[in-house]
Amino acid sequence: MKKLLSLALCLLPFAANAEFKTTAHSAFLIDPQSGTEIVAKEADTLMPPSSMLKLMTLAVVFDEIKAGKLKLDERIVVPDAADYKNPTWATASKICLVKGQKISVRDAVLGLIVMSGGDACVTMAEKVAGSEPEMVRRMTQRAREIGMARSTFGNVSGLPHPDNLMTSRELATLAQYFINRHADLYPMFATKRFEFSEYQTEWCAEWGRTKTLNYNKLLFIMPGAEGLKTGNTAEGGYGLVASATQGGRRLVGVINGFKAKNHDALAAEMKKLLQYGFTDTINKTFYKPGDTIVEIPVWYGRRPFAVATVEKPFVITLPVGAKYLSPQGGKYSAPTNTDNIRILARYAEPLPAPIRAGDKIGLIIAQQDGKAIASADLVAKERVGKVQFFARIWKNLQVIFGIK
């Protein structure tokens, strides 16, 4: 039998984008730990991502590195399409590479992150996928796999193309993919300066002499900034995908379509967005791993109940100063205010034995106005073995004849 049990009620629900204001066409701010959307302005509007699209290229590259198919110290050949004399790169962001030269994967990655090198994107695309169109296909496939259902890609560099469209929400999803999947490589996004040492021409060496600082100026003005990627086109304006950690709490923000004078103004706007999240909201941990959330009846179990807990802290983001009801004596009273957040446990009972510790046995859900805003698996805290054959027969007789 399926069961839904109310565990707690929180007053003063969080309303995304309740107070934060920005002139950017789109802005999105999320707390990855709770999954709460703190700011959501045109978050699902498809827009040109400009160079923020390079993150999708880099996601495929990082996946190759993680799989052992590509190494950071490996030397790769610069193709004709990435040569600095190619008209494509005349005014575009680049490292300034020459066809036929070899560069390390590490330099290509850092050149992409710091200098927004589109030529580095093309070089890595041909190494990983054989061609740019094939790399675009792989980018699309990976985007779908990680929950980016709407983003489309026309190239690997983010240069203007009608198929280059992403939402701010999906850019934030992509940022979280790096954080969760590539924790070992993720610190590369915080690189403030990169000095490429293998220029092949005097023109490139002179050009690159002033191109050593990261375009992401948030790294220089906000404590705890972790990087990720900027973008800018005349049509789309300025954009930035960024993350920062303060006091052990991480936030991920996206701004796109921001009409600014320069990257400094963009960084200031992103700092304002992230700081809003840090100062005006707070995380409330309702349950920690090992806490007993609910006891679920077990059929044919050596114990009558399986204790349900969580694998990681179950957290909800609330406005600073919000009040919530705490359990008293294991009981919760419902507030008269119907606009609230409810914490629910959903599971089927009885559970069939045996049950292993860590098995998924239900779901814990935070709802606001009947809509789920956060959820996590309920898992078995301890193993529950299965009774032997004759014990199962006795159990059946107890049920049939009402024997207690």
Side-chain angles (χ1 to χ4, degrees):
M1 179 179 70
K2 292 184 178 180
K3 192 167 185 178
L4 192 64
L5 178 65
S6 179
L7 300 173
L9 295 150
C10 300
L11 300 177
L12 301 181
F14 189 85
N17 200 27
E19 298 178 16
F20 183 81
K21 303 297 181 183
T22 178
T23 59
H25 184 79
S26 177
F28 186 69
L29 180 65
I30 188 169
D31 186 308
Q33 186 180 24
S34 68
T36 299
E37 300 169 9
I38 301 171
V39 172
K41 177 184 179 183
E42 298 290 341
D44 295 310
T45 299
L46 286 166
M47 299 176 59
S50 56
S51 286
M52 293 183 289
L53 179 144
K54 292 182 172 78
L55 289 174
M56 196 68 243
T57 304
L58 204 54
V60 176
V61 171
F62 277 15
D63 288 342
E64 291 287 298
I65 295 172
K66 190 175 186 68
K69 298 178 181 178
L70 194 65
K71 300 184 183 301
L72 285 173
D73 294 331
E74 183 176 346
R75 307 280 288 182
I76 57 179
V77 180
V78 175
D80 290 356
D83 187 277
Y84 82 100
K85 292 183 179 179
N86 188 313
T88 300
W89 312 114
T91 58
S93 300
K94 55 185 174 289
I95 299 178
C96 204
L97 302 174
V98 174
K99 63 181 180 180
Q101 80 172 104
K102 292 184 176 181
I103 64 170
S104 70
V105 172
R106 186 188 308 276
D107 281 352
V109 169
L110 289 175
L112 184 159
I113 291 172
V114 177
M115 304 166 71
S116 198
D119 50 356
C121 289
V122 173
T123 300
M124 290 188 291
E126 296 211 8
K127 170 62 181 178
V128 168
S131 68
E132 185 170 6
E134 176 59 19
M135 186 66 160
V136 168
R137 187 195 68 79
R138 292 181 59 174
M139 289 160 58
T140 303
Q141 178 182 355
R142 184 48 47 88
R144 301 298 178 261
E145 291 170 351
I146 65 178
M148 300 167 62
R150 303 183 62 207
S151 295
T152 59
F153 314 103
N155 55 43
V156 299
S157 63
L159 287 174
H161 188 287
D163 291 338
N164 284 345
L165 295 170
M166 302 179 75
T167 70
S168 290
R169 188 189 307 278
E170 292 193 356
L171 280 165
T173 297
L174 183 54
Q176 292 173 82
Y177 180 73
F178 286 108
I179 293 168
N180 298 326
R181 176 71 174 172
H182 296 294
D184 55 336
L185 298 171
Y186 179 67
M188 297 180 77
F189 286 110
T191 304
K192 293 181 178 179
R193 178 188 294 271
F194 170 61
E195 296 183 3
F196 186 57
S197 60
E198 298 186 19
Y199 288 115
Q200 301 296 296
T201 68
E202 291 185 8
W203 188 91
C204 281
E206 180 61 25
W207 179 89
R209 186 176 60 81
T210 60
K211 308 293 182 181
T212 61
L213 293 182
N214 199 317
Y215 284 112
N216 183 358
K217 303 308 178 185
L218 187 73
L219 291 167
F220 302 91
I221 65 171
M222 184 172 190
E226 299 171 339
L228 293 186
K229 191 72 188 71
T230 63
N232 176 37
T233 59
E235 299 82 2
Y238 281 84
L240 174 58
V241 184
S243 65
T245 297
Q246 292 184 2
R249 181 187 178 198
R250 173 183 279 137
L251 297 178
V252 173
V254 180
I255 286 175
N256 200 8
F258 184 58
K259 302 301 181 182
K261 294 181 179 179
N262 50 40
H263 284 93
D264 291 324
L266 173 66
E269 191 73 0
M270 177 57 75
K271 181 180 180 181
K272 185 175 70 171
L273 175 66
L274 290 166
Q275 207 59 56
Y276 169 77
F278 285 125
T279 59
D280 286 55
T281 69
I282 191 170
N283 280 354
K284 165 62 182 174
T285 300
F286 279 83
Y287 295 103
K288 298 178 181 178
D291 287 349
T292 297
I293 298 175
V294 66
E295 293 182 337
I296 305 175
V298 177
W299 184 249
Y300 291 145
R302 290 185 177 274
R303 300 179 186 175
F305 299 98
V307 176
T309 188
V310 285
E311 292 182 298
K312 59 183 182 180
F314 186 67
V315 177
I316 295 179
T317 301
L318 300 168
V320 170
K323 298 178 181 179
Y324 53 87
L325 292 182
S326 299
Q328 295 181 0
K331 298 181 179 179
Y332 298 81
S333 60
T336 56
N337 182 4
T338 57
D339 281 334
N340 55 65
I341 299 174
R342 298 196 303 163
I343 310 299
L344 306 169
R346 178 177 292 161
Y347 54 88
E349 63 173 32
L351 299 170
I355 299 168
R356 298 169 299 179
D359 279 354
K360 296 178 182 179
I361 57 177
L363 198 66
I364 184 169
I365 307 165
Q367 287 187 345
Q368 179 179 344
D369 297 327
K371 178 182 177 182
I373 59 172
S375 65
D377 289 322
L378 288 174
V379 299
K381 184 177 179 180
E382 299 170 335
R383 182 181 182 274
V384 179
K386 189 173 184 178
V387 297
Q388 298 301 317
F389 176 73
F390 290 107
R392 295 200 297 272
I393 292 177
W394 174 242
K395 179 67 175 177
N396 288 337
L397 291 172
Q398 286 179 303
V399 173
I400 293 171
F401 296 104
I403 302 171
K404 295 184 179 180

